[in-house]
Amino acid sequence: MGKGIVKLGEGQWAVKDGNLLAAKETNGRFKNAEFTVTRGTDATYVGKDGLIFNETGNDTPRIDFTDNTDGHLLLEPESRNLVPYSNEISLSTGSTVSGTGSSTAVTDNYAISPDGTQNAARLVATSATGTGKYALRDFILSTSSVKSYTQSTYLKSNTGSDQKVSYYGRDTGVRGFITVTSEWQRFELSGNSNTTNYYVYLGARPEDGTDTSCDILVYGYQLEQLGYATSLIPTNGSQVTRDAETCTGAGSSADFNSEEGVLYAEIAALADDNTYRILSLSDETRNERVYMQYTNASNTVSVVVKYDGETQANMVYVLSDATNFSKVAIKYKANDFALWVNGVERDTDTIGNTPTTLNKLQFNEGDSSGNEFYGKVKAIRVYKETDGIDLATLTSL
Amino acid sequence: MNKIGKYEFNSSVQADDMIAALGTSTDEDGNTYPSHNHCIVKLGYIVLEQGEYNEEGEEVKAPVLSEKYHLDVLWKGLEPIDAEAEVLSYIEPKGWADNRIDIDGNGVHSFMGLDYQEYKF
């Protein structure tokens, strides 16, 4: 088969409309291996300079730099922002106050936001003190059944000092306060509606430990019917849906060795949501595959080898937190399989065959759709051999 | 070609039947998922008049809801009815057009970056 590596990422990203480029390295020469990326709508991402950008090309992959300088491929499911004005808070929220002198005031388009333009709103809330006294902005969504929601918003202090602010929703746990600093931060909370509504409140409620008044900047008000927050979906007068992404079909049978090799990835889950999210090498069916996945068990990764539709190896490891980046590798060779995670060999299997054909690397269960890998990907490597690959070093954090 | 359609149905059951008819697949664990790639948004019985709630979220006045169940669909990769035609036109899978509605503007929901008026049938 000859030596060779298919590489993706590792701080080197090349994207265009509809394509994500991986590199095939053979004897020091590089060629492209193209993933096909689809997404029917725009989407946002955090650029290298820390600003939020709107990716206006449908189907263009997103390389997101949130919390890292190398960037990661961001693949997200469909989601909808249920707040019709994500920045014009005066239009999307109402004032809910209790107590003499309690008040709220909103000034839209007041300050520079995380997208670099002047579209952050200013919220000033002043509350009377005592039990049941507050000054809040409310967003209330009518519902007809109990559903799970996640609210998120970017907040920043407008005074130069830290402020203790009330931010809660229906069934989001014991009310308390969040600390809003002089840096933009995104705050997230998850809760459940009842059979009539879900609500979000933001402002001052001193009985919960907040300051009696707050002066803060607000941007990117978002409410999603998901268990976690996804990238910002800007709205301006209606609810807005961002389409799901798919990333399929890189490589050919010449690029991969079905008899032996290593599939390695540095990945993080969007959430510990107990769903299957699969990164696969396959013959474009589910019968011949080498794949790694987050499983339907909490914080669990597994690697699996299939031959003729039968499982040959299935090795499992429980992570401390699947939303942190992990380096995962599977070594596959007849009667010689191993799972490496974060520098340590976690499991082995010494009985089993390898697939007959592997010709596609894709972010799903292997037959082009189903159990899509929604998550973050910093790097992928596929080796065509097992000898001489230092898996301890490769997978060390 | 991608197109946006807005639809109303007599019930959620009727809407779910139409969605199911677009096709599903089953994974190894028996979970079903759509075998198509269209983006279907269940708006449900949309709110025509907002409800009123007190500070504890208790309903003071019920919202007025549409009697129809609403879906917005971003149809992806539709083939033209006649590829030789001078002006290409497109149609949804069978049965959907009967439930399609047209509105001014984008309505209560839109797809990110896509103007309904530009993408409608």
Side-chain angles (χ1 to χ4, degrees):
Chain A
M1 294 293 293
K3 295 182 178 180
I5 312 171
V6 173
K7 288 182 179 178
L8 175 71
E10 301 181 9
Q12 308 287 324
W13 299 100
V15 302
K16 62 178 182 177
D17 193 9
N19 285 116
L20 172 67
L21 302 185
K24 298 184 286 189
E25 180 184 357
T26 306
N27 300 324
R29 297 177 63 217
F30 291 87
K31 291 182 179 177
N32 288 340
E34 297 188 1
F35 288 96
T36 300
V37 176
T38 66
R39 186 191 60 243
T41 66
D42 290 1
T44 60
Y45 65 97
V46 175
K48 215 165 191 173
D49 55 6
L51 296 176
I52 295 173
F53 288 91
N54 189 4
E55 181 54 75
T56 54
N58 303 348
D59 302 337
T60 304
R62 290 180 291 167
I63 307 303
D64 189 276
F65 290 84
T66 302
D67 298 330
N68 70 78
T69 55
D70 288 337
H72 56 261
L73 173 66
L74 178 60
L75 296 168
E76 292 185 310
E78 174 192 326
S79 190
R80 175 166 41 133
N81 187 354
L82 298 160
V83 179
Y85 291 93
S86 57
N87 294 333
E88 293 181 284
I89 308 304
S90 70
L91 299 176
S92 58
T93 66
S95 186
T96 297
V97 297
S98 171
T100 303
S102 293
S103 65
T104 68
V106 173
T107 309
D108 294 326
N109 302 315
Y110 180 83
I112 302 297
S113 78
D115 69 20
T117 63
Q118 188 164 327
N119 58 4
R122 180 189 187 191
L123 166 60
V124 177
T126 302
S127 175
T129 58
T131 302
K133 311 299 184 193
Y134 44 77
L136 301 164
R137 296 297 296 192
D138 66 64
F139 172 76
I140 300 176
L141 177 77
S142 294
T143 60
S144 56
S145 60
V146 176
K147 291 173 182 163
S148 297
Y149 293 90
T150 296
Q151 60 196 71
S152 57
T153 187
Y154 292 83
L155 300 174
K156 178 184 175 182
S157 171
N158 191 42
T159 64
S161 302
D162 291 358
Q163 298 181 62
K164 295 174 181 173
V165 171
S166 180
Y167 180 52
Y168 62 94
R170 182 182 280 283
D171 196 24
T172 55
V174 177
R175 286 197 325 258
F177 63 84
I178 57 173
T179 301
V180 177
T181 72
S182 297
E183 301 292 329
W184 282 108
Q185 293 178 78
R186 195 181 199 200
F187 294 88
E188 302 175 8
L189 287 171
S190 293
N192 298 297
S193 70
N194 63 9
T195 56
T196 66
N197 68 82
Y198 184 85
Y199 56 69
V200 180
Y201 287 118
L202 174 66
R205 190 159 188 162
E207 66 176 324
D208 294 338
T210 76
D211 297 330
T212 54
S213 65
C214 69
D215 183 354
I216 58 174
L217 303 175
V218 185
Y219 169 80
Y221 228 55
Q222 187 154 305
L223 182 66
E224 300 168 84
Q225 195 187 314
L226 279 175
Y228 57 95
T230 67
S231 61
L232 177 63
I233 304 169
T235 64
N236 186 26
S238 71
Q239 298 177 355
V240 173
T241 295
R242 181 199 59 242
D243 192 20
E245 280 147 328
T246 65
C247 190
T248 57
S252 66
S253 58
D255 300 323
F256 310 115
N257 184 354
S258 63
E259 295 175 355
E260 67 170 301
V262 172
L263 170 61
Y264 156 82
E266 185 175 2
I267 51 178
L270 300 176
D272 184 29
D273 63 355
N274 298 350
T275 61
Y276 285 100
R277 288 141 288 170
I278 299 177
L279 170 62
S280 65
L281 269 175
S282 74
D283 68 345
E284 299 180 82
T285 75
R286 297 196 302 229
N287 294 328
E288 307 289 330
R289 288 188 285 168
V290 174
Y291 60 96
M292 62 177 63
Q293 61 183 352
Y294 294 108
T295 76
N296 64 349
S298 178
N299 288 316
T300 300
V301 290
S302 75
V303 292
V304 182
V305 176
K306 295 271 188 180
Y307 162 72
D308 198 23
E310 299 294 327
T311 300
Q312 305 298 305
N314 184 0
M315 297 167 283
V316 178
Y317 180 69
V318 179
L319 301 162
S320 57
D321 184 348
T323 62
N324 292 335
F325 276 99
S326 298
K327 294 184 175 180
V328 182
I330 174 174
K331 179 183 76 172
Y332 61 94
K333 190 176 183 179
N335 303 319
D336 183 9
F337 304 95
L339 164 64
W340 286 74
V341 181
N342 297 339
V344 178
E345 187 177 65
R346 306 292 183 177
D347 200 358
T348 60
D349 191 324
T350 57
I351 300 173
N353 294 317
T354 57
T356 54
T357 304
L358 297 174
N359 59 23
K360 282 289 180 284
L361 174 61
Q362 43 196 351
F363 293 83
N364 56 52
E365 64 185 18
D367 56 354
S368 299
S369 68
N371 292 312
E372 276 75 11
F373 183 93
Y374 295 126
K376 304 171 185 175
V377 182
K378 275 189 177 177
I380 293 176
R381 288 188 181 198
V382 184
Y383 293 88
K384 294 168 75 173
E385 58 189 338
T386 55
D387 291 341
I389 310 299
D390 182 353
L391 291 170
T393 300
L394 181 65
T395 61
S396 287
L397 291 172
Chain B
M1 172 61 74
N2 292 358
K3 287 284 183 183
I4 295 172
K6 291 179 178 285
Y7 305 90
E8 61 180 25
F9 298 89
N10 292 325
S11 68
S12 59
V13 173
Q14 187 190 9
D16 286 339
D17 287 345
M18 290 296 290
I19 294 169
L22 294 173
T24 58
S25 296
T26 305
D27 70 13
E28 291 174 311
D29 298 297
N31 303 309
T32 58
Y33 59 89
S35 56
H36 60 83
N37 68 346
H38 310 300
C39 183
I40 300 174
V41 179
K42 295 181 177 180
L43 301 175
Y45 299 95
I46 59 176
V47 176
L48 302 176
E49 194 177 310
Q50 292 293 334
E52 293 179 11
Y53 308 90
N54 66 17
E55 64 277 10
E56 301 301 327
E58 294 162 346
E59 189 176 84
V60 176
K61 179 185 169 193
V64 177
L65 303 178
S66 164
E67 292 182 352
K68 298 286 188 178
Y69 188 90
H70 292 257
L71 298 180
D72 274 8
V73 183
L74 172 59
W75 300 99
K76 293 188 280 188
L78 291 180
E79 298 294 331
I81 297 169
D82 179 2
E84 305 295 319
E86 198 165 305
V87 178
L88 298 180
S89 59
Y90 300 84
I91 189 78
E92 316 93 319
K94 190 178 178 185
W96 283 82
D98 297 339
N99 297 92
R100 192 198 314 148
I101 60 172
D102 193 17
I103 62 169
D104 295 329
N106 279 294
V108 299
H109 170 262
S110 59
F111 292 94
M112 192 169 171
L114 306 179
D115 181 14
Y116 165 69
Q117 295 300 326
E118 183 182 342
Y119 281 85
K120 71 181 182 180
F121 288 95

